[in-house]
Amino acid sequence: LGLVISKNLVKMMGGQLWVESAKNHGSTFCFTLPFHIGASVEEKQQLRKNLGEPVSAMKLLLVEDDAVSRNVIQRLLQEIGHQVDTAVNGVEALSLWRQKKYDAMIMDIQMPELDGIETTKRIRVAESDTGNHIPIMALTAHALVGDRERFLAAGMDEYMAKPVQMAELSEKIELLSQQNQRGDFTAISSIQINDSGEVVYVSAVADSLKKAPSALTGINAMLVGIDEETMQDVNQIEVVAHEIKGLANQIGSDELISVAFKAELAARRGNLEEALEHIRHISRICEEYKKTGI
């Protein structure tokens, strides 16, 4: 984060940050923070009683790449009586989903290797042959306008923003449990074959949503317009990445926003090769969007 930001954050939380340095021996940066004493066993039991026992204990798959978030959410789910398996990305999630039967999945959106939206699409395509449907709840740190509709369009059934609160988590899981019993899910509108011969999943909600094709066209135009001279100028790459990030926000793509931000940050730090790699990643994402129409 940088020392100035870190110092301000610590100060805002009522703590102190300082450095202890000795010549030829290095430096040690320290900070203190005040914390409240954790809830007692009795208080935790009362909280669980207030939340109410779950309608039925569910077998859940939590897909989250951040170790801290994964551990916290897993423990919250276990506190309210559910059995929880975990995966760190979409690839692991698909493997576990094929091997075991789960009542529902909690899916982070931004993950390495395979993100939450693409993982959900693959599950829905596979389910179109079997008639099955596993409830999937999106989990994201980005609470943007239109997120819920976009996640539903990708085949998800619920949505929750981080940081996760136990009461809200309990309520959402109960909702998934009720949907599971009723079979009340987002309907598949069609499974289509695109111009490349690939199978494309389209949900009923996706059919009704109006995307921002001009924004995607603008991003593609910017990518095509990057010449050899621009590719050697970190300042120009930073400008391009910043503009792409703005257009990606119009589309509502967490993935594009994240990668564009990484490209912008890498260029700002002077790391040209890393910035260009993120730009190439953006190009690959746009190609996928053109294929799927999403």
Side-chain angles (χ1 to χ4, degrees):
L1 290 175
L3 286 175
V4 174
I5 295 176
S6 298
K7 183 177 181 179
N8 287 337
L9 287 174
V10 170
K11 184 178 179 181
M12 289 169 65
M13 292 186 285
Q16 291 183 320
L17 184 149
W18 70 94
V19 59
E20 298 172 353
S21 184
K23 187 176 181 180
N24 298 324
H25 286 83
S27 302
T28 301
F29 295 88
C30 311
F31 69 91
T32 60
L33 284 177
F35 286 96
H36 295 293
I37 297 175
S40 66
V41 174
E42 292 76 14
E43 290 171 325
K44 288 181 178 179
Q45 290 174 342
Q46 183 60 43
L47 175 60
R48 182 169 177 176
K49 182 178 179 181
N50 291 341
L51 289 172
E53 294 294 331
V55 173
S56 60
M58 299 175 68
K59 186 173 183 180
L60 305 172
L61 177 58
L62 169 63
V63 192
E64 166 66 73
D65 65 307
D66 182 78
V68 174
S69 294
R70 188 170 62 249
N71 185 50
V72 169
I73 298 171
Q74 182 181 19
R75 293 192 63 177
L76 288 176
L77 290 167
Q78 290 171 339
E79 279 285 325
I80 52 180
H82 300 296
Q83 180 183 341
V84 187
D85 286 346
T86 61
V88 300
N89 56 49
V91 175
E92 284 191 13
L94 286 173
S95 178
L96 286 170
W97 170 73
R98 293 186 183 106
Q99 295 173 37
K100 301 181 180 181
K101 180 174 176 57
Y102 293 100
D103 296 310
M105 296 174 67
I106 300 173
M107 184 86 68
D108 188 28
I109 295 299
Q110 293 183 322
M111 295 182 292
E113 296 192 53
L114 195 64
D115 65 28
I117 288 180
E118 182 59 31
T119 303
T120 300
K121 289 178 184 176
R122 295 189 185 187
I123 290 174
R124 297 306 184 220
V125 169
E127 288 178 335
S128 66
D129 294 328
T130 63
N132 296 326
H133 185 109
I134 181 172
I136 299 177
M137 180 166 66
L139 187 66
T140 178
H142 298 285
L144 302 176
V145 175
D147 269 352
R148 180 182 174 82
E149 290 76 14
R150 185 161 55 86
F151 297 150
L152 291 179
M156 293 175 167
D157 304 286
E158 258 302 335
Y159 156 75
M160 186 167 62
K162 300 176 185 176
V164 173
Q165 303 297 322
M166 180 179 265
E168 182 186 10
L169 180 62
S170 178
E171 179 183 340
K172 296 282 188 179
I173 293 298
E174 290 300 326
L175 182 59
L176 291 183
S177 176
Q178 294 166 17
Q179 288 178 333
N180 199 3
Q181 294 170 19
R182 295 196 309 265
D184 179 19
F185 303 112
T186 303
I188 293 176
S189 172
S190 62
I191 301 295
Q192 302 175 359
I193 305 295
N194 65 14
D195 294 337
S196 302
E198 298 172 314
V199 176
V200 179
Y201 160 77
V202 181
S203 73
V205 180
D207 279 342
S208 65
L209 289 180
K210 300 298 182 183
K211 299 296 180 182
S214 59
L216 187 57
T217 301
I219 293 174
N220 283 317
M222 294 182 69
L223 293 171
V224 172
I226 298 177
D227 54 24
E228 290 296 326
E229 183 177 350
T230 302
M231 290 178 65
Q232 302 305 316
D233 188 339
V234 290
N235 294 324
Q236 283 299 314
I237 292 294
E238 181 181 350
V239 171
V240 169
H242 181 76
E243 292 181 3
I244 289 176
K245 185 175 67 175
L247 291 170
N249 192 50
Q250 294 180 32
I251 300 171
S253 169
D254 281 343
E255 186 178 22
L256 273 177
I257 292 169
S258 174
V259 179
F261 176 73
K262 290 176 182 177
E264 182 182 8
L265 189 59
R268 191 176 302 161
R269 290 173 173 170
N271 192 330
L272 180 62
E273 186 53 43
E274 181 185 347
L276 289 175
E277 179 55 38
H278 290 311
I279 294 294
R280 288 189 283 269
H281 188 186
I282 290 171
S283 181
R284 293 193 295 270
I285 294 171
C286 289
E287 285 300 315
E288 286 299 314
Y289 280 7
K290 286 193 290 185
K291 290 178 183 178
T292 61
I294 295 176

